[in-house]
Amino acid sequence: MVVYSFYIFDRHTECIYKRRWHHRPLSASSKASRPLSEASEIPNGVTGISRPALSAEDDAKLVFGVVFSLRNMVRKMGGDDDNFLSYRTSQYRMHYYETATNIKFVMITDTRSNSMRMALHQIYVNLYVEFVVKNPLSPAEHPGGIGVDNELFEEGLDQFVTRVLL
C-alpha cells in the first residue's frame, strides 16, 4: 500500500496540516488509449497538454472541495445517519474521518488499500490529541491558516505511516 498524502482541516475549513509522501501517479496510460482531439496537438509534434503543478495550498483547497461536496451529497441522498467514508478513482482512493469537533482527516492512498477509517481514528486519538490538543503551547484555534507545528506529531505520523500502514 502506498500513502500519497495526508491532510487535516479544522472546523473553519482551513487546512492546518498537510504532508506528502509520494506523488499521485499521472494517468498517462489511460490518456494514450483515448483518441486525441485537434486541440490536444501542439504544433511542434508533441501531443498532450501538461498541466502546471498545483501549489500545496491549491491542492489542499481542491481536496477539501471534493470532501465537502461528496459529504453533502451523501447526507442529502442518504440522510443525516449516513457518512462519507472513502472515494475511489482509477488512480487513488481518498479516505475521510471527521471527529465530533469537526476536525477532518483526509488520507489519499493507492487504490489497493482497504478502508483507512480505523487508521485515521488512531492518528486522531494517539497522535493529534496527545501531541497537539494536550500541548499547552499549541493554539486551540488555527486562525489564518496557522497550522499544526509540532515535531512530535510529525515524527509520530511519519512512523505510523511508514511502519504500521506499509
Side-chain angles (χ1 to χ4, degrees):
M1 180 184 75
V2 177
V3 176
Y4 297 127
S5 55
F6 176 75
Y7 301 89
I8 302 175
F9 298 96
D10 68 359
R11 61 189 178 104
H12 304 293
T13 70
E14 294 284 338
C15 182
I16 59 173
Y17 185 79
K18 54 188 160 275
R19 172 79 191 269
R20 284 189 185 172
W21 283 274
H22 301 281
H23 291 289
R24 288 182 289 237
L26 298 175
S27 58
S29 61
S30 64
K31 287 184 180 180
S33 63
R34 293 185 203 152
L36 297 174
S37 66
E38 293 176 11
S40 65
E41 294 180 11
I42 300 173
N44 64 5
V46 179
T47 57
I49 298 173
S50 63
R51 295 182 300 184
L54 294 174
S55 70
E57 285 184 21
D58 290 340
D59 195 30
K61 288 177 185 178
L62 288 174
V63 167
F64 185 79
V66 168
V67 166
F68 181 79
S69 299
L70 289 173
R71 185 186 60 149
N72 286 343
M73 184 179 70
V74 166
R75 286 189 178 160
K76 285 181 182 177
M77 293 176 70
D80 291 335
D81 295 337
D82 287 338
N83 291 323
F84 166 62
L85 302 176
S86 69
Y87 171 71
R88 183 174 168 258
T89 68
S90 63
Q91 300 296 319
Y92 64 90
R93 186 168 180 175
M94 181 184 295
H95 307 272
Y96 175 72
Y97 177 75
E98 185 172 356
T99 68
T101 58
N102 289 333
I103 302 292
K104 297 156 188 68
F105 293 82
V106 178
M107 183 178 285
I108 299 176
T109 64
D110 64 346
T111 57
R112 294 174 286 152
S113 64
N114 294 325
S115 176
M116 300 298 288
R117 185 164 175 79
M118 290 304 298
L120 291 173
H121 177 72
Q122 288 177 348
I123 291 170
Y124 169 65
V125 171
N126 297 328
L127 298 174
Y128 186 78
V129 170
E130 291 298 320
F131 297 129
V132 178
V133 174
K134 291 183 179 179
N135 183 356
L137 300 176
S138 179
E141 294 287 327
H142 300 276
I146 298 172
V148 174
D149 187 22
N150 188 314
E151 289 181 24
L152 293 174
F153 174 76
E154 290 183 13
E155 289 175 15
L157 180 64
D158 192 45
Q159 288 178 0
F160 182 81
V161 168
T162 56
R163 293 182 183 168
V164 176
L165 296 180
L166 301 180

